[in-house]
């Protein structure tokens, strides 16, 4: 058992705190937002993530997990302190580190004995060194500390599984003492033979960006291929399948769609462009990823206009608003972007999402929110599927067709088979798909 503190009860912080507690550690999770901490004490989760409520409940009941607004209390109780505060992208694309700086200073002011300060949320290369300088400047004389980087690779929707069974754990440190302490915190994962990559702080920081931008590039590549398929009369689903069977390529992250979204991939791509620029390197692939992602959203919008006709005065049905299934996160969601553009062109939009409607209301107040997929279709001149929630995979298509004013479906996730839908009388549009000649 170790005493740990996690500063920041956002996505990364809360999931990490709950999982560390579940490993048997005593964890205090700190956030400056009193409302959030109050809520967590009453088991009110600030966002939706499968399994999180149960994990938090179990570990609070067994007194391994507690919540506080006091960094002081956390620092005095814990030997390792994880910083997991948000690092939003500023207007220029740079990560905003003011939260990290403020927390580093506060930790330093309260330190009385040795502490290991671990940066967990994604930060540009060089942030570990910055944290070390800040703590050095503000801590009492004679108090020693280490700074480490331990990037998270959690995917929204399967974050707990990712934490408990990660592909790897990255441990970036400058001293043996820090390396040993952080490795020991992850010791429960040795039992399932999780690979541990032990390296310097700078390398650890870069690994996170390299991995995420690579994933974004992989999706962007297949999205470009999808557009090429449409131009040449080929089928991207088959191209992707055959590509993915090559073990050097792999089938994951090779699904064409409306473009990447969420809180990580777009932000990390922008940040990598910025800090590579600052280092004097004009990197081409991350820039191309950004361009392709913008183009993909426009491509989807044009596709809808082609399928439905001029949008002014038309009603369009939308299924799925979150950037991917199993989350209520609408940040950078292509669904939100395209819906906004449809509204701006004078369309009326009726929408349903199993989890993200509350979050979407703030960004899209003019949308009419419906109870289910079928209500969405009532009187609509076309149905757009943006997010591949499981419940959209087996819709009663005959019912959908009878409810729609015109049987038009734009399936941005290629859930359905074009030939089948066309045989049912739908005007069906996928992404990068050409019907097989009969
Ligand atoms: C991502 C990374 O996967 C994770 O490792 C990192 O630490 C945080 O960012 P997340 O933001 O939850 O996780 O989303 P992810 O599941 O990776 O999907 C990213 C985006 O790519 C989504 O918009 C998704 O719909 C899209 N995507 C993914 C595709 O369009 N096609 C694919 O084949 C895969």
């Amino acid at each position: 058992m170790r005493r740990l503190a996690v500063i920041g009860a956002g996505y990364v912080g809360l999931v990490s705190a709950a999982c560390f507690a579940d490993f048997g550690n005593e964890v205090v999770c700190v956030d400056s937002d009193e409302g959030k901490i109050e809520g967590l004490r009453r088991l009110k989760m600030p966002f939706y993530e499968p399994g999180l409520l149960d994990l938090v409940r179990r570990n609070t009941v067994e007194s391994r997990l507690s919540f506080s607004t006091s960094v002081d209390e956390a620092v005095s109780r814990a030997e390792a302190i994880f910083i997991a505060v948000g690092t939003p992208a500023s207007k220029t694309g740079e990560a905003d580190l003011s939260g990290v700086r403020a927390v580093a200073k506060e930790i330093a002011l309260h330190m009385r004995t040795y502490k290991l300060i671990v940066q967990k949320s994604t930060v540009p290369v060089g942030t570990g060194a910055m944290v070390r300088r800040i703590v050095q400047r503000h801590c009492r004389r004679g108090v020693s500390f280490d700074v480490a980087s331990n990037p998270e690779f959690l995917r929204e929707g399967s974050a707990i599984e990712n934490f408990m069974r990660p592909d790897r754990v990255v441990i970036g440190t400058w001293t043996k003492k820090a390396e040993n302490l952080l490795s020991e915190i992850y010791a429960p994962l040795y039992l399932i033979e999780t690979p541990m990559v032990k390296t310097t702080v700078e390398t650890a920081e870069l690994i996170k960006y390299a991995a995420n931008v690579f994933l974004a590039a992989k999706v962007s590549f297949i999205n470009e291929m999808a557009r090429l398929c449409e131009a040449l009369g080929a089928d991207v689903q088959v191209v992707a399948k055959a590509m993915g069977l090559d073990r050097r390529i792999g089938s994951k992250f090779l699904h064409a769609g409306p473009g990447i979204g969420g809180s990580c991939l777009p932000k990390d791509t922008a940040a990598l462009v910025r800090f590579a620029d600052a280092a004097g390197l004009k990197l081409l692939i991350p820039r191309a990823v950004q361009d392709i992602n913008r183009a993909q959203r426009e491509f989807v919008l044009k596709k809808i206009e082609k399928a439905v006709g001029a949008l002014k005065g038309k009603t369009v049905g939308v299924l799925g608003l979150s950037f991917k299934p199993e989350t209520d996160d609408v940040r950078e969601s292509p669904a939100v972007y395209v819906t906004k553009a449809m509204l701006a062109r004078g369309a009326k939009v009726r929408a349903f999402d199993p989890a993200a409607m509350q979050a979407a209301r703030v960004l899209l107040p003019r949308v009419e929110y419906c109870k289910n997929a079928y209500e969405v279709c009532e009187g609509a001149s076309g149905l757009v599927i943006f997010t591949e929630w499981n419940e959209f995979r087996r819709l009663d298509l005959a019912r959908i067709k009878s409810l729609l004013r015109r049987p038009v479906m734009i399936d941005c996730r290629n859930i359905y088979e074009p030939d089948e839908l066309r045989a049912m009388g739908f005007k069906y549009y996928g992404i990068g798909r050409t019907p097989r000649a009969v």
Side-chain angles (χ1 to χ4, degrees):
M1 194 277 287
R2 294 262 171 197
R3 290 203 168 80
L4 311 177
V6 177
I7 319 270
Y11 198 81
V12 176
L14 185 53
V15 170
S16 305
C19 290
F20 278 138
D22 213 54
F23 284 171
N25 299 297
E26 203 180 292
V27 184
V28 52
C29 183
V30 178
D31 201 290
S32 53
D33 182 338
E34 278 178 31
K36 199 184 247 185
I37 292 298
E38 254 323 296
L40 282 164
R41 286 184 178 139
R42 283 182 283 110
L43 292 177
K44 188 175 162 286
M45 299 300 110
F47 50 83
Y48 171 72
E49 176 65 31
L52 183 63
L53 173 60
D54 283 347
L55 201 68
V56 170
R57 184 187 292 128
R58 184 165 74 237
N59 285 285
T60 30
V61 167
E62 290 169 17
S63 304
R64 285 189 298 264
L65 179 61
S66 61
F67 297 97
S68 168
T69 51
S70 161
V71 172
D72 186 2
E73 181 196 329
V75 172
S76 55
R77 273 174 50 187
E79 51 186 336
I81 304 153
F82 290 81
I83 303 180
V85 294
T87 53
S90 62
K91 280 211 180 66
T92 51
E94 244 162 335
D96 176 356
L97 294 178
S98 51
V100 173
R101 277 195 291 269
V103 167
K105 181 174 169 190
E106 238 194 305
I107 294 172
L109 293 174
H110 293 114
M111 280 172 15
R112 302 282 181 275
T113 52
Y114 172 86
K115 302 290 167 191
L116 173 63
I117 302 164
V118 189
Q119 179 60 45
K120 190 126 191 80
S121 40
T122 305
V123 287
V125 181
T127 305
M130 179 194 83
V131 167
R132 185 167 61 178
R133 282 196 302 278
I134 294 173
V135 176
Q136 195 83 62
R137 197 177 315 137
H138 295 283
C139 76
R140 303 182 167 206
R141 268 234 200 97
V143 176
S144 67
F145 68 94
D146 275 304
V147 169
S149 164
N150 170 224
E152 55 79 27
F153 296 96
L154 307 178
R155 293 181 63 194
E156 294 187 17
S158 52
I160 290 162
E161 171 72 13
N162 294 160
F163 197 100
M164 300 293 194
R165 299 183 179 279
D167 290 337
R168 76 306 209 182
V169 170
V170 174
I171 289 178
T173 55
W174 284 304
T175 67
K176 209 62 203 160
K177 182 174 180 180
E179 183 185 300
N180 291 342
L181 183 49
L182 196 47
S183 304
E184 220 215 280
I185 292 169
Y186 280 101
L189 296 180
Y190 283 107
L191 295 175
I192 53 168
E193 290 177 19
T194 306
M196 302 275 161
V197 179
K198 297 180 183 174
T199 181
T200 63
V201 172
E202 288 84 354
T203 305
E205 288 171 338
L206 187 55
I207 287 169
K208 176 60 195 277
Y209 284 95
N212 269 2
V213 177
F214 188 84
L215 290 174
K218 202 172 171 194
V219 176
S220 300
F221 182 86
I222 204 67
N223 281 342
E224 270 202 321
M225 286 304 113
R227 291 189 337 241
L228 187 60
C229 281
E230 286 191 17
L232 302 179
D235 185 339
V236 77
Q237 290 295 98
V238 185
V239 172
K241 185 173 179 202
M243 280 175 71
L245 287 168
D246 184 328
R247 261 166 296 181
R248 293 167 304 175
I249 298 174
S251 61
K252 302 266 168 67
F253 271 68
L254 216 49
H255 299 286
I260 53 164
S263 67
C264 288
L265 300 191
K267 176 166 73 92
D268 292 353
T269 308
L272 182 64
V273 166
R274 291 285 307 183
F275 66 73
D277 274 357
L281 284 175
K282 283 243 171 292
L283 297 189
L284 299 179
I285 292 178
R287 275 202 168 71
V289 166
Q290 293 182 302
D291 291 345
I292 294 166
N293 210 36
R294 274 189 287 268
Q296 195 70 7
R297 294 167 174 202
E298 294 306 321
F299 166 73
V300 167
L301 182 60
K302 285 218 180 72
K303 189 182 279 288
I304 297 170
E305 280 182 315
K306 189 175 151 225
V308 175
L311 288 171
K312 200 171 166 53
K314 297 246 174 60
T315 299
V316 179
V318 160
L319 295 184
L321 293 160
S322 55
F323 77 98
K324 65 172 193 177
E326 295 299 329
T327 174
D328 62 355
D329 197 342
V330 292
R331 285 176 287 179
E332 298 288 329
S333 170
V336 171
Y337 177 91
V338 176
T339 300
K340 243 188 211 157
M342 290 195 286
L343 291 168
R345 282 164 173 70
K348 290 200 192 82
V349 176
R350 299 164 65 77
F352 171 73
D353 185 289
M357 290 203 282
Q358 205 182 334
R361 260 177 230 276
V362 182
L363 303 173
L364 300 167
R366 281 167 50 215
V367 164
E368 205 174 313
Y369 293 92
C370 299
K371 282 201 300 290
N372 57 44
Y374 302 100
E375 206 182 285
V376 163
C377 297
E378 285 170 21
S381 299
L383 180 65
V384 188
I385 302 179
F386 278 116
T387 319
E388 68 279 33
W389 284 92
N390 273 338
E391 62 179 88
F392 301 152
R393 290 175 189 271
R394 289 243 182 282
L395 292 168
D396 178 346
L397 293 170
R399 191 167 159 209
I400 295 278
K401 189 168 167 244
S402 71
L403 289 168
L404 286 169
R405 179 192 292 264
R406 287 178 56 226
V408 174
M409 184 192 283
I410 300 104
D411 172 7
C412 296
R413 299 288 178 174
N414 292 340
I415 298 175
Y416 289 103
E417 273 310 311
D419 293 334
E420 283 172 28
L421 276 266
R422 286 186 190 121
M424 285 186 72
F426 274 95
K427 265 178 83 185
Y428 173 89
Y429 300 81
I431 302 277
R433 310 203 71 179
T434 311
R436 206 184 303 170
V438 219

